[in-house]
Amino acid sequence: HVQLVESGGGSVQAGGSLKLSCAASGYTFNTYSWFRQAPGKEREGVAAIDTGDGSTYYLNSVEGRFTISHDNAKNTLYLQMNSLKPEDTAMYICAAGQNAGPWNPLQRSSYLNWGQGTQVTVS
């Protein structure tokens, strides 16, 4: 039984930082991602990582401010978010998938396993 449990969300002022965690259990995947969804908006891919070769991918608007990482020993995904902006306010959801060959890191269809999300509010 695969389970993804996020933590670390909260409320911060603009310019602040937060670090999100996503503990995975039941299986070790090779690709992980963070998505976010604000009220009334589509869910969008924010950052992704291929644990096989360490490649990382970012949404343009968070490039340079967010860093995705994965601890293989703990099977835990992280998202370090710095210089937060009000437009970063959303529910952040982690996703996991087993991808081989060409894949779209920030597309929902690349992932079959999803967490429940953790709320991030920037004011």
Side-chain angles (χ1 to χ4, degrees), residues 61-74:
S61 61
V62 307
E63 183 92 49
R65 299 189 296 122
F66 290 10
T67 303
I68 190 170
S69 61
H70 183 263
D71 185 325
N72 290 331
K74 297 180 180 180

Side-chain angles (χ1 to χ4, degrees), residues 46 56-66:
V46 173
T56 56
Y57 309 85
Y58 295 97
L59 183 68
N60 285 344
S61 61
V62 307
E63 183 92 49
R65 299 189 296 122
F66 290 10

Side-chain angles (χ1 to χ4, degrees), residues 6-7 9 20-21 34-38 44 46 62 65-66 79 81 84-85 87-94 115-122:
E6 303 94 334
S7 60
L20 306 183
S21 300
W34 286 99
F35 283 71
R36 67 185 180 188
Q37 188 163 20
E44 64 177 355
V46 173
V62 307
R65 299 189 296 122
F66 290 10
L79 185 67
M81 305 186 295
L84 282 161
K85 304 175 181 180
E87 51 264 44
D88 294 320
T89 295
M91 181 72 75
Y92 282 71
I93 305 150
C94 72
Q116 293 298 308
T118 184
Q119 179 67 37
V120 171
T121 303
V122 185

Side-chain angles (χ1 to χ4, degrees), residues 6-56:
E6 303 94 334
S7 60
S11 297
V12 295
Q13 292 189 332
S17 298
L18 281 174
K19 186 173 184 177
L20 306 183
S21 300
C22 174
S25 60
Y27 193 79
T28 300
F29 298 92
N30 69 335
T31 54
Y32 295 85
S33 183
W34 286 99
F35 283 71
R36 67 185 180 188
Q37 188 163 20
K41 293 189 176 181
E42 293 287 317
R43 185 174 296 190
E44 64 177 355
V46 173
I49 186 168
D50 182 334
T51 63
D53 61 12
S55 298
T56 56

Side-chain angles (χ1 to χ4, degrees), residues 31 33 35 43 45 95-99 102-114:
T31 54
S33 183
F35 283 71
R43 185 174 296 190
Q98 196 66 25
N99 287 283
W103 64 295
N104 192 325
L106 299 181
Q107 194 164 66
R108 292 178 66 172
S109 59
S110 294
Y111 308 93
L112 295 179
N113 304 278
W114 296 84

